[in-house]
Amino acid sequence: MMRTAAVSPQPSLRGGRFRRRKAMDRIMSGAMILSAIIVLIPLFAVGAFVVQQGWPALIGHFPSILTEQSPAGGQLIEGLKGTM
């Protein structure tokens, strides 16, 4: 007697499910990139504001800012040496 194995139909990779998954992947990737951009905009805005406000004070007194006595006592250069 001869037996034959039942061949189960294998879904093709180009079927509807594959296209749906590919579309959902693109939608979610786009949403993730958009979310990252939305989060980074305020971060860069705050950073730009801090640099804008601090730049004149830093550049105007740069050589003396390291060696000049602060109102609280001590020098910035000594504080920087202490962190190393």
Side-chain angles (χ1 to χ4, degrees):
M1 180 174 356
M2 186 185 232
R3 290 189 176 177
T4 58
V7 178
S8 63
Q10 199 168 22
S12 72
L13 293 178
R14 299 288 176 197
R17 188 187 305 176
F18 179 75
R19 278 184 254 145
R20 249 191 329 242
R21 288 176 67 185
K22 193 74 169 170
M24 186 58 72
D25 179 57
R26 287 184 177 154
I27 290 169
M28 289 297 125
S29 293
M32 186 176 63
I33 290 169
L34 181 64
S35 297
I37 291 170
I38 289 171
V39 168
L40 289 175
I41 287 172
L43 176 71
F44 285 120
V46 169
F49 178 75
V50 168
V51 169
Q52 177 189 6
Q53 296 297 314
W55 191 258
L58 183 62
I59 295 303
H61 304 289
F62 184 69
S64 64
I65 198 169
L66 295 173
T67 57
E68 175 176 288
Q69 287 279 56
S70 72
Q75 298 172 341
L76 181 61
I77 194 78
E78 297 302 324
L80 291 174
K81 285 180 186 174
T83 61
M84 293 185 191

